[in-house]
Amino acid sequence: MTGHAASREHIIALSGGVGGAKLALGLARIMPSESLTIIANTADDFVHFGLHISPDIDTVLYTLADLANPETGWGRRGETWEFMGAMGGLGGETWFNLGDRDLALHVLRTNKLNQGATLSDVTAEMAHVMGIHVDVMPMSNDPVRTMVRTGDGLLPFQHYFVRDRCEPSVTGFYFDGIDGARPHPKLMRHLISRDLGAIIICPSNPFVSVDPILQLNGVRNVLKETSAPIVAVSPIIGGRAIKGPAAKMMKELGMPVSALGVAGFYKDLVDGFVIDEEDEASAAEIEALGMSVLITRTFMQSLEDREALAAATLEFAASLGKH
Ligand code: FO1
């Protein structure tokens, strides 16, 4: 496979949710592992049955370790649900499904955190144990929790996303803890490093997967200062989100549900925007927002699709080199 020239340059990928992990896998498969760092959103995290659950970290870990459930995109392939069955039998909450194998990761992480490990320590240890060689790390070791403003009031993210199946109409988001949360020091070091080749914003939900990372103290400033190109891949193709509530949220927020709408959200931040061939007609309008556009196939079904999009995105970023 066309490995990316072991360019001295380091790539930072911002990822949340299933779509983000797909591109993160494509990047991990075509790049030298020491040249890629994947920053996972942690604002979806929550404590359930006393267990610290980090869904977006786990989706990246399971995806890169080829353990992910291909249907759901979260949790593990070949799961069994004895724990959940017993939980239901005892009258416990069953709205959030914890597979028997997935449970081991939550128990282990929680135990290590309780013993004083940081979330990034645990993530690095789990990545190593799973045979993952690229750096996967949380955006912060401090707690940030997305609260969803809806017509029914403020909902914790997992209550909105899983328990209420994204049905409530959203009016906005609030990232509880964002003021005091410190971006992971390694993230900031990479972002100001001369070795930084590009920042890739994966096709994740801009509001609840990417924005918590961008809102961390100091991140937007260093992104404005960096000489490395910043490229986002649209999570919306032909007016629909491939997975998850991004399109529904955009509609409820009064934004155009389109790649152009997402480009507007990233205006003044990104140098390049990657859209699917289906959205070719809006390329000129997106360019008018002040960003370059790459038109390519962004719908990822196969492993080759993931690698091809990763390669095209990296080449596009390199062509924008703001050095
Ligand atoms: N999503 C669901 O829609 N239903 C679930 O029961 C569920 C359980 C679950 C367990 C562990 C985990 O890491 C993720 C899980 N998710 C579930 C997905 C999760 O809510 C989302 O992946 C993120 O929060 C948004 O990307």
Side-chain angles (χ1 to χ4, degrees), residues 280-291:
E280 179 167 7
S282 54
E285 282 178 279
I286 294 171
E287 279 164 348
L289 294 173
M291 58 189 82

Side-chain angles (χ1 to χ4, degrees), residues 164-205:
D164 302 350
R165 289 182 303 286
C166 305
E167 281 159 13
S169 178
V170 308
T171 57
F173 308 96
Y174 166 63
F175 305 133
D176 190 22
I178 197 75
D179 293 341
R182 293 154 294 174
H184 194 288
K186 271 177 71 176
L187 165 61
M188 296 309 266
R189 276 202 302 279
H190 278 306
L191 291 181
I192 60 176
S193 159
R194 288 181 42 72
D195 278 0
L196 183 63
I199 295 125
I200 307 294
I201 300 179
C202 293
S204 306
N205 186 308

Side-chain angles (χ1 to χ4, degrees), residues 5 22 24 35 118 149 229 235-236 260 273 280:
K22 285 182 179 176
S35 300
T118 63
R149 296 188 197 289
I236 299 286
L260 176 61
F273 196 62
E280 179 167 7

Side-chain angles (χ1 to χ4, degrees), residues 16-18 41 44-46 53-59 62 72-75 81 94-99 102 106 109 157-158 161-163 165 208-209 245:
V18 176
N41 167 47
D44 290 7
D45 290 18
F46 78 129
I53 315 277
S54 294
D56 286 352
I57 291 177
D58 293 355
T59 293
Y62 286 148
T72 56
W74 54 265
W81 304 93
T94 55
W95 59 272
F96 194 79
N97 293 293
L98 293 167
D102 187 33
H106 307 306
R109 168 185 288 124
F157 181 75
Q158 296 300 340
F161 188 85
V162 180
R163 193 195 62 187
R165 289 182 303 286
V208 294
S209 294

Side-chain angles (χ1 to χ4, degrees), residues 36-232:
L36 174 63
T37 297
I38 298 164
I39 305 296
N41 167 47
T42 57
D44 290 7
D45 290 18
F46 78 129
V47 175
H48 193 51
F49 296 129
L51 297 173
H52 182 118
I53 315 277
S54 294
D56 286 352
I57 291 177
D58 293 355
T59 293
V60 170
L61 290 177
Y62 286 148
T63 299
L64 265 57
D66 193 20
L67 290 171
N69 177 326
E71 278 79 51
T72 56
W74 54 265
R76 290 181 63 153
R77 182 176 51 239
E79 257 305 1
T80 52
W81 304 93
E82 298 303 312
F83 168 77
M84 287 307 297
M87 178 57 74
L90 294 172
E93 288 181 281
T94 55
W95 59 272
F96 194 79
N97 293 293
L98 293 167
D100 298 329
R101 291 166 184 76
D102 187 33
L103 193 54
L105 175 50
H106 307 306
V107 170
L108 199 54
R109 168 185 288 124
T110 303
N111 195 40
K112 289 174 184 293
L113 291 173
N114 290 344
Q115 290 171 345
T118 63
L119 187 54
S120 53
D121 291 339
V122 178
T123 304
E125 201 177 326
M126 291 299 103
H128 176 72
V129 158
M130 293 180 186
I132 296 167
H133 301 298
V134 301
D135 211 357
V136 179
M137 49 186 289
M139 67 187 199
S140 170
N141 281 323
D142 301 319
V144 178
R145 300 288 175 260
T146 296
M147 304 298 285
V148 183
R149 296 188 197 289
T150 77
D152 312 340
L154 210 51
L155 282 180
F157 181 75
Q158 296 300 340
H159 283 184
Y160 163 80
F161 188 85
V162 180
R163 193 195 62 187
D164 302 350
R165 289 182 303 286
C166 305
E167 281 159 13
S169 178
V170 308
T171 57
F173 308 96
Y174 166 63
F175 305 133
D176 190 22
I178 197 75
D179 293 341
R182 293 154 294 174
H184 194 288
K186 271 177 71 176
L187 165 61
M188 296 309 266
R189 276 202 302 279
H190 278 306
L191 291 181
I192 60 176
S193 159
R194 288 181 42 72
D195 278 0
L196 183 63
I199 295 125
I200 307 294
I201 300 179
C202 293
S204 306
N205 186 308
F207 314 109
V208 294
S209 294
V210 179
D211 210 29
I213 304 174
L214 302 178
Q215 296 301 329
L216 284 167
N217 290 312
V219 169
R220 269 192 175 272
N221 296 344
V222 292
L223 290 179
K224 282 217 178 319
E225 295 306 311
T226 181
S227 60
I230 304 172
V231 171

